[in-house]
Amino acid sequence: MDLLYARAQMGMSLAFHIVFAAAGIALPLLMVLSDLKARRTGDADYVALSRKLAKGTAILFAVGAVSGTVLSFELGLLWPEFMGTYGEVIGLPFSLEGTAFFTEAVFLGIYLYGRERIPSGLHLFSGVMVALSGAASAFFVTLVNAFMNHPAGFTPTPGGPVNVDPVAAMFSPGWQYQVVHTLLACYQSSAFVMAGIHAFVLLRHPGATFHRKALSIALPMACITALLQPLAGHQQAEHIAREQPAKLAAAEGLFETQRGAPLTVGGLPDEESRTTRYGLEIPRGLSLLAFADPNAEVRGLDQFPRDEWPPVLKVHLAFQLMVGTGSLMALLAVVTLFLRWRHKAWPEGRRMLWGWLLCGPLGVVAMEAGWLVTEWGRQPWIIRGVMRTADAVTPVPNLAVPFWTFTLAYLFLGAMVVFLLVRQVAGTLPGNEEPREVSHAH
Amino acid sequence: MPTELFLGGALVTAFVLYALFGGADFGGGVWDLLASGPRKAEQRALISKAIGPVWEVNHVWLIIGVVILFSAFPRAFAVLSVALHVPLTLLLLGIVFRGTAFTFRAYDARGDRVQRRWGVVFSVASVLSPALLGMCVGAVVSGDIRVRGTVVESGFFAGWLSPFALAVGLLALCLFAFLAAVYLLAETREPALQEDFRERALGAGVAVFLAAFGVLALAREGAPRVWAGLTDSPFALTLHAATAVAAVAAFGLLLTRRFWLARMAAAAQVGLIVVGWAVSQYPYLVVPDLTLQRTAAPESTLRALLVALAVGAALIFPSLLFLLRVFQSSPRGASR
């Protein structure tokens, strides 16, 4: 029971943190882009937009910073055996992430509070540094997860790791696929949320120029990431097919090893009867996608001992959700870019705005689902093939108490953040605008 | 010098910097709670102006410390996480509510009542967190956390609820409040406001003295091994002498209204106390079962970490100086 609570607490803390961490990476870039646009055009709306985005970044970064602190402690509070034994193997990317986080906090402080105190070039530079260090910290933290999926850089013995090579552990096989996939997800989720918000305002207040410009900042990032993400996801899947076959088998609900394996769309895997029912099967699709060969053999769950199976139903559903939402977003991006090309302007028709509004949350959904695929798909291992999650958990009893406490705290904080962001957006509605500070002429 | 000593030094440095910067932030929250008199609102405004740009940075020192601990001394991190699970969890809740309440207060400007409500959350969390931090330190040095092999045998309440640990918690709270009051003095040029914080600094200074005395009195019973470390080695005695000099100097400078120098002396005092704590428990990371040497990661990891820390320091310190240059009032301007 305590193992479940420990996993639930870690999962809940990460699910919460990921949203804010992603925003802390993507919003600074959007903020710098609007800043650049403001400098080029001298347009007051872009100045106001970059200020709004800076405020949003400040709120989201603060929550991300404290929930990240919680996670760094929870590694030990919930998984002392994991950190006590393998901290020495995987500490290096964590310490580099600490550095990146530090520079992000420094330059965010300068960017937020320094606008009137430092020359505008230096101010913009601070914004760029925030965006860069945010990306760097996501980079390093994803390396840790890649290591847990594919441990490297040490020799496991019953007494713990020997021959430790921290650099080899940091760049474990396949790190590049996971890093690219994760970074894209951060930019994609935030850009889609931003596009959704401004599409919502434009539906109610057509012609609100501030929001049209905001949409024109969000859409390029949303479209580019939505189109690149399926490619990055495909590369990641190919790597998983080769190196983590149990995860792929669970994601696809593939119980039996077979040549020319079909791709299952939808469907409900049942671990008892070892079948996946109600799915749409595309013949040879999986072999083709995973190994670029319609007759390739794909290993099924039957190749693994029953007690090493990931929770098949959960992994499969999360995977379907990720792929489904990802495809929808890619489709929307294609339509948007087509209209952009035809009309030489970002589309503003009501139907497109509805599309962007409805797809606004999908980036976050896909990101959470993808993260669940990688985490559930690795079970029952905390470090695949080396240490079981059950062996890593803390001996502290009554873990239900911290779990519920943090859950309630995070629910409350999440509601507050949404409330504050709504108020920030409400301040930009036509007729509601806050008095604008005079912008610097360029 | 063996590599693990360098990393032990880095760990102490991170804690010193956390005390000097993060500690002062906590102290700011204490004075927010205790704001009073005709200039109540101005006092709070000054605190929030001083903390605003830097609180997230100040807070990162804690994360740096934790990361060094779990990368370089993973066994000690695991043991502390088990033995101090309860106070560390409470500390985390304090940190979460403190940070978010501070930010929400800044961006939720709907009126005094809402602002004040966030202010209460912020300041209460600012009082509880340093006390819990101090209690954890007290537990670590008390010798009550017992480990056999890698298993914590002393349970989940050992050490941190003892009178000694509570006294250390109180000392941490007083120290941070003292530090914050002295820092804030040099942040304003308003004579009346300076007078407010000068009174507070002097009061907190007296409280620090009393709390330190209490800790010392309880240490012989509550932390025998560290008591021996505190009193026996000539190096430790030199450190204590230096701490005493800094403390007296800080007091004298406050009395003579040389605020910028007082700030330096107070920072030296707090830094020396943290270093004194570290030296007195050396070579133990968790007294009396885990030493620095026994819990150290393999040499290959320690070397890689040193390189990472050097690269990190080369990035962090210049940008930190830049931040402080942008936001700190100049020494000459402020001390007048």
Side-chain angles (χ1 to χ4, degrees):
Chain A
M1 205 55 206
D2 276 329
L3 173 63
L4 272 185
Y5 277 117
R7 287 184 57 195
Q9 185 179 337
M10 195 70 189
M12 188 268 304
S13 309
L14 267 165
F16 184 81
H17 175 70
I18 281 177
V19 180
F20 297 95
I25 293 157
L27 285 192
L29 182 56
L30 290 160
M31 163 184 103
V32 167
L33 288 175
S34 10
D35 222 339
L36 276 174
K37 197 100 187 222
R39 292 171 140 244
R40 254 216 332 265
T41 60
D43 187 319
D45 276 333
Y46 285 116
V47 176
L49 180 63
S50 74
R51 287 186 186 216
K52 277 288 167 197
L53 284 168
K55 283 184 179 170
T57 308
I59 296 170
L60 295 165
F61 182 80
V63 180
V66 295
S67 58
T69 310
V70 171
L71 279 170
S72 65
F73 276 89
E74 275 178 349
L75 286 172
L77 291 175
L78 300 172
W79 315 109
E81 281 307 310
F82 167 50
M83 289 315 288
T85 315
Y86 292 96
E88 59 193 47
V89 185
I90 201 57
L92 184 59
F94 274 122
S95 56
L96 292 167
E97 197 260 348
T99 303
F101 180 43
F102 205 112
T103 47
E104 188 175 5
V106 166
F107 286 103
L108 186 64
I110 294 172
Y111 189 90
L112 289 177
Y113 291 84
R115 201 180 280 268
E116 316 300 335
R117 291 183 179 226
I118 54 174
S120 72
L122 209 50
H123 186 246
L124 187 67
F125 168 77
S126 306
V128 173
M129 285 302 288
V130 178
L132 279 179
S133 9
S137 63
F139 174 83
F140 290 121
V141 143
T142 309
L143 290 181
V144 177
N145 195 265
F147 166 85
M148 293 161 78
N149 287 327
H150 194 134
F154 67 99
T155 313
T157 72
V162 294
N163 300 329
V164 175
D165 177 350
V167 178
M170 180 157 128
F171 295 105
S172 67
W175 64 271
Q176 60 276 43
Y177 309 114
Q178 200 177 335
V179 160
V180 172
H181 196 42
T182 307
L183 271 173
L184 277 176
C186 294
Y187 294 114
Q188 185 178 2
S189 56
S190 302
F192 268 79
V193 170
M194 181 172 160
I197 290 172
H198 295 291
F200 175 71
V201 177
L202 282 173
L203 278 168
R204 297 183 65 178
H205 305 273
T209 53
F210 173 82
H211 294 274
R212 273 170 46 199
K213 289 169 188 165
L215 200 60
S216 79
I217 292 281
L219 285 186
M221 189 190 282
C223 289
I224 292 169
T225 51
L227 290 179
L228 288 178
Q229 189 65 294
L231 302 177
H234 176 65
Q235 297 247 299
Q236 164 84 341
E238 279 187 330
H239 173 75
I240 288 174
R242 283 195 309 274
E243 306 290 342
Q244 302 169 51
K247 182 181 277 182
L248 183 81
E252 288 291 340
L254 187 72
F255 288 93
E256 276 162 39
T257 305
Q258 48 190 295
R259 296 195 157 275
L263 184 73
T264 309
V265 180
L268 288 177
D270 178 16
E271 293 184 30
E272 292 312 310
S273 64
R274 301 195 172 204
T275 50
T276 299
R277 263 176 293 188
Y278 314 118
L280 173 70
E281 291 200 348
I282 301 169
R284 296 173 196 274
L286 181 56
S287 290
L288 185 67
L289 273 180
F291 295 99
D293 168 7
N295 294 313
E297 183 181 86
V298 183
R299 274 176 283 176
L301 288 160
D302 57 355
Q303 300 254 316
F304 303 92
R306 185 67 183 79
D307 72 335
E308 287 182 17
W309 285 15
V312 183
L313 180 66
K314 288 186 198 168
V315 178
H316 180 71
L317 290 181
F319 186 67
Q320 298 290 315
L321 187 61
M322 175 185 76
V323 173
T325 46
S327 308
L328 267 180
M329 289 186 283
L331 183 70
L332 183 66
V334 169
V335 175
T336 306
L337 287 176
F338 175 74
L339 292 174
R340 167 84 177 78
W341 170 74
R342 270 244 319 245
H343 300 299
K344 309 266 178 289
W346 291 104
E348 280 172 32
R350 289 188 73 80
R351 233 178 278 165
M352 279 315 290
L353 290 178
W354 269 108
W356 280 104
L357 170 58
L358 293 175
C359 287
L362 293 190
V364 175
V365 172
M367 184 171 65
E368 297 278 9
W371 164 72
L372 285 172
V373 171
T374 199
E375 297 297 291
W376 277 336
R378 196 184 57 241
Q379 298 307 319
W381 305 101
I382 192 164
I383 305 177
R384 190 175 56 92
V386 175
M387 181 184 258
R388 280 176 187 263
T389 315
D391 297 330
V393 74
T394 180
V396 175
N398 301 324
L399 291 181
V401 180
F403 167 73
W404 286 113
T405 314
F406 276 101
T407 303
L408 290 177
Y410 279 171
L411 280 176
F412 171 69
L413 293 181
M416 274 317 301
V417 168
V418 170
F419 175 73
L420 288 181
L421 292 181
V422 166
R423 276 167 36 83
Q424 289 292 328
V425 175
T428 65
L429 294 181
N432 247 356
E433 281 116 333
E434 294 149 11
R436 280 215 185 121
E437 296 103 306
V438 183
S439 68
H440 300 290
H442 291 287
Chain B
M1 202 157 89
T3 326
E4 69 264 16
L5 280 187
F6 281 109
L7 282 151
L11 190 60
V12 176
T13 309
F15 284 142
V16 167
L17 290 167
Y18 186 53
L20 292 184
F21 294 106
D25 271 12
F26 284 129
V30 174
W31 297 123
D32 187 280
L33 186 67
L34 299 180
S36 60
R39 286 170 300 278
K40 209 161 145 178
E42 286 90 333
Q43 291 168 6
R44 286 186 172 138
L46 175 65
I47 293 164
S48 116
K49 189 186 121 225
I51 295 180
V54 292
W55 78 266
E56 272 150 334
V57 181
N58 291 347
H59 164 88
V60 180
W61 293 115
L62 177 64
I63 299 185
I64 302 267
V66 168
V67 170
I68 295 176
L69 188 62
F70 72 54
S71 313
F73 308 100
R75 270 288 138 212
F77 176 69
V79 163
L80 290 173
S81 301
V82 173
L84 300 175
H85 188 101
V86 182
L88 287 178
T89 301
L90 293 173
L91 173 67
L92 283 181
L93 283 171
I95 287 175
V96 166
F97 278 101
R98 201 189 110 77
T100 46
F102 185 77
T103 306
F104 291 173
R105 179 171 70 169
Y107 292 99
D108 194 13
R110 275 174 304 166
D112 286 350
R113 247 193 42 227
V114 183
Q115 291 246 358
R116 208 43 228 138
R117 223 175 284 157
W118 285 123
V120 170
V121 175
F122 164 68
S123 49
V124 169
S126 298
V127 172
L128 293 180
S129 306
L132 284 161
L133 206 61
M135 285 157 74
C136 290
V137 171
V140 170
V141 301
S142 69
D144 291 348
I145 299 176
R146 297 310 305 262
V147 185
R148 177 179 296 169
T150 59
V151 179
V152 177
E153 291 199 317
S154 49
F156 313 114
F157 296 94
W160 61 274
L161 285 172
S162 69
F164 170 71
L166 291 169
V168 177
L170 185 67
L171 174 61
L173 185 61
C174 297
L175 263 184
F176 292 165
F178 171 66
L179 201 57
V182 179
Y183 283 4
L184 284 166
L185 267 175
E187 288 289 321
T188 178
R189 293 168 202 196
E190 187 69 44
L193 212 49
Q194 282 190 336
E195 230 20 63
D196 285 352
F197 281 105
R198 180 168 166 268
E199 273 171 28
R200 283 166 173 73
L202 288 170
V206 174
V208 165
F209 179 75
L210 293 175
F213 192 74
V215 168
L216 217 56
L218 290 165
R220 195 195 287 260
E221 286 279 305
R225 201 170 290 243
V226 167
W227 167 258
L230 278 173
T231 45
D232 286 356
S233 94
F235 184 53
L237 287 175
T238 321
L239 264 176
H240 301 322
T243 312
V245 170
V248 172
F251 241 84
L253 291 163
L254 280 176
L255 287 171
T256 53
R257 294 191 164 75
R258 284 144 84 178
F259 298 141
W260 186 260
L261 287 174
R263 178 188 260 206
M264 295 295 139
Q269 180 191 350
V270 172
L272 284 166
I273 289 177
V274 178
V275 174
W277 153 48
V279 165
S280 64
Q281 80 166 59
Y282 181 81
Y284 297 103
L285 263 178
V286 183
V287 185
D289 290 329
L290 298 183
T291 60
L292 204 66
Q293 289 77 9
R294 235 196 83 199
T295 54
E299 190 67 19
S300 55
T301 299
L302 297 181
R303 290 237 179 87
L305 284 173
L306 271 184
V307 174
L309 285 174
V311 172
L315 277 170
I316 286 174
F317 286 107
S319 50
L320 190 64
L321 285 178
F322 178 44
L323 178 79
L324 294 177
R325 255 189 81 91
V326 172
F327 292 109
Q328 296 290 303
S329 24
S330 71
R332 230 174 296 139
S335 56
R336 271 181 202 146

